[in-house]
Amino acid sequence: MEVLFDGGVHVHYGFLALEPADWAVGSLGFMLESIGGQANGICGAGVPHAVRMQTGLHTGEVPVRVERHDERPGVADEWEDVVEVSVTLTADEYAVKAFDTSEPVGTIPAGDYRARWCAAGMDAGHELDTPAPGESAPDRYLLQLWPQDPASDEVLRQTSEQAASWHGVAAQTPAVDVAQLRAAGWSESDDGTGFVPPDSESSWQVIPDEWPDEEPDDVDMVAAADLSWTLTEVLTDDDPAPEHAMWGDRPPNDRLREWAQGCVELTFYDRDLLDELTGLSPRVLRALAVRATRTLAERAGGADLPVVVDALDVVARGGTLPPVWHDWDTAHAIFPAQEGADDEVALGVELFDSMRSGDDAPPHIPLSVDIAAVEAIRRAADPHDGRAAAHAVSALIGASEDPDLAMAEIRTTIATLRATGD
């Protein structure tokens, strides 16, 4: 047995990866596809020539040991969660990497390997989230490698709730394929032995920075998901009368004018409700954003998934979501697919065109709840309490079968939140 690494690794967003040393740091960590189609969700080998490992701790240094064996070792009783995957290693130099950290492990001969990920204290690490200065992580990990022909991944031991939840994420995540890798910017290696990831995360950030000058012939899910954002840009950029275009005959109050860019879409559902939001305290607005977003996550069937729980924590305080939420395709894959999504893309573009042209909008057809949940999470994380609430409420109404009933329930929720004290 050879110890390749034994020490602390600083994680951020709760992931590690064993990957070629020359890959850009963080290349694999945000790709949930690496666990897609597997029985386990805490060690993924779906992306060729590397493995992605999950930790309980969100941010901080965790103890990690990497061993290479000549044959399959036994499993020690000390490990609470144990899984195995198969991986083909093609590069000589490997490293253990995290969000912005790379720890070299030296030379690993090329070939087919079995990789075993052993974890202890995942639930405690998740509960702690981030250690205070001088505080140690309660979770620790062991990665063992040995030569073995490829075989299906396997859960050998499952004790923690965190591991169980991540196994559920894997079951709901599509397996990666070569076409997906190419679309995300990966390319074949110079020696023809495998694939090389993009040099930076910009290549897998598929959300456009700017809406194209001309509408595309083929509308994709990103266009539909960012519909309200696009609408805001069209109405506010170089419009000769932007305020009237956005608010109609009722000028906004000073607070709403401050929020303008983030909440214009709510005017198409209930302008009175939007005005009511401007009279709420920051505490109530943030609580409303959380309540609406969590409701959508529950309806989408993913509220208990660790990646969603972490995102809801960000929504509760306002801030930057983990990068897995920046990529629309990856974020959308977190929730179980809903029927009718393709029809809603066409409807969304039709609705956008009617709003832009001034024509009457088509009858309300609810947005697929998984799409609405992703949009609510992505936009309600806005540090601005008002915009966060407006985003979440708009998404909740848009996904409702009966918008009037949804708006009535939202007003009831507001009254309840206010009753607890502004």
Side-chain angles (χ1 to χ4, degrees):
M1 186 267 288
E2 179 184 4
V3 178
L4 302 178
F5 178 81
D6 191 0
V9 181
H10 189 275
V11 299
H12 195 37
Y13 299 116
F15 70 79
L16 291 166
L18 177 74
E19 57 191 32
D22 58 355
W23 284 13
V25 173
S27 296
L28 182 61
F30 304 124
M31 296 186 67
L32 283 185
E33 295 94 337
S34 63
I35 62 173
Q38 294 190 167
N40 98 85
I42 62 173
C43 184
V47 176
H49 321 311
V51 289
R52 177 196 188 276
M53 296 85 73
Q54 193 68 36
T55 66
L57 199 73
H58 181 278
T59 300
E61 186 174 278
V62 294
V64 179
R65 181 180 171 97
V66 182
E67 301 173 350
R68 186 171 70 85
H69 297 255
D70 293 331
E71 58 185 18
R72 188 177 192 270
V75 181
D77 294 338
E78 64 187 285
W79 302 109
E80 299 171 349
D81 296 287
V82 183
V83 301
E84 290 183 2
V85 298
S86 291
V87 60
T88 301
L89 304 182
T90 60
D92 288 338
E93 297 294 324
Y94 269 75
V96 174
K97 301 182 184 180
F99 176 71
D100 55 2
T101 303
S102 180
E103 300 289 349
V105 300
T107 300
I108 302 178
D112 293 329
Y113 286 84
R114 194 68 169 172
R116 177 189 293 160
W117 184 238
C118 306
M122 285 195 74
D123 285 343
H126 179 72
E127 183 177 354
L128 179 60
D129 186 80
T130 304
E135 187 176 13
S136 299
D139 46 337
R140 54 194 177 86
Y141 303 91
L142 169 66
L143 178 66
Q144 297 172 307
L145 303 167
W146 65 92
Q148 182 177 308
D149 292 337
S152 299
D153 79 298
E154 186 177 0
V155 178
L156 302 183
R157 188 179 298 163
Q158 186 259 299
T159 303
S160 71
E161 294 181 2
Q162 278 296 293
S165 295
W166 278 108
H167 298 340
V169 173
Q172 297 172 3
T173 303
V176 73
D177 60 29
V178 172
Q180 287 176 313
L181 289 178
R182 288 198 178 102
W186 290 58
S187 58
E188 293 188 39
S189 59
D190 293 337
D191 59 9
T193 60
F195 280 83
V196 178
D199 291 334
S200 68
E201 62 185 47
S202 61
S203 57
W204 50 259
Q205 298 285 353
V206 297
I207 304 170
D209 292 330
E210 297 181 0
W211 190 258
D213 294 335
E214 297 182 1
E215 295 180 12
D217 294 332
D218 297 323
V219 179
D220 60 16
M221 295 298 290
V222 174
D226 283 343
L227 173 61
S228 59
W229 172 88
T230 305
L231 174 61
T232 302
E233 292 296 308
V234 170
L235 290 177
T236 58
D237 188 19
D238 298 327
D239 193 308
E243 186 165 289
H244 183 272
M246 291 171 64
W247 309 115
D249 295 330
R250 187 192 307 179
N253 58 39
D254 290 341
R255 199 174 185 194
L256 185 54
R257 187 176 285 110
E258 175 197 346
W259 299 3
Q261 188 173 1
C263 56
V264 62
E265 64 269 23
L266 188 52
T267 64
F268 296 100
Y269 290 117
D270 190 334
R271 173 59 191 278
D272 290 336
L273 177 59
L274 180 57
D275 286 342
E276 291 169 26
L277 295 186
T278 64
L280 301 178
S281 69
R283 183 196 66 81
V284 172
L285 288 169
R286 182 58 59 180
L288 179 62
V290 173
R291 185 78 63 89
T293 304
R294 181 179 290 113
T295 297
L296 285 168
E298 291 171 348
R299 293 177 183 175
D304 293 331
L305 298 175
V307 67
V308 177
V309 172
D310 288 344
L312 290 173
D313 287 342
V314 176
V315 171
R317 62 179 184 270
T320 302
L321 289 165
V324 65
W325 293 97
H326 300 175
D327 181 307
W328 169 257
D329 290 331
T330 303
H332 186 234
I334 292 171
F335 293 100
Q338 307 289 320
E339 295 182 0
D342 291 341
D343 294 338
E344 287 158 10
V345 174
L347 175 67
V349 175
E350 178 185 353
L351 177 61
F352 167 57
D353 286 340
S354 69
M355 289 176 176
R356 184 171 56 180
S357 64
D359 297 337
D360 292 336
H364 174 77
I365 298 178
L367 186 68
S368 180
V369 69
D370 55 329
I371 295 175
V374 171
E375 276 305 282
I377 289 172
R378 283 156 49 103
R379 303 187 70 200
D382 191 325
H384 189 288
D385 300 309
R387 286 195 292 266
H391 293 325
V393 165
S394 295
L396 183 59
I397 296 171
S400 301
E401 295 285 346
D402 185 341
D404 291 334
L405 177 60
M407 289 181 282
E409 292 175 343
I410 289 167
R411 286 185 167 90
T412 299
T413 299
I414 291 172
T416 300
L417 293 173
R418 295 192 69 171
T420 62
D422 283 353

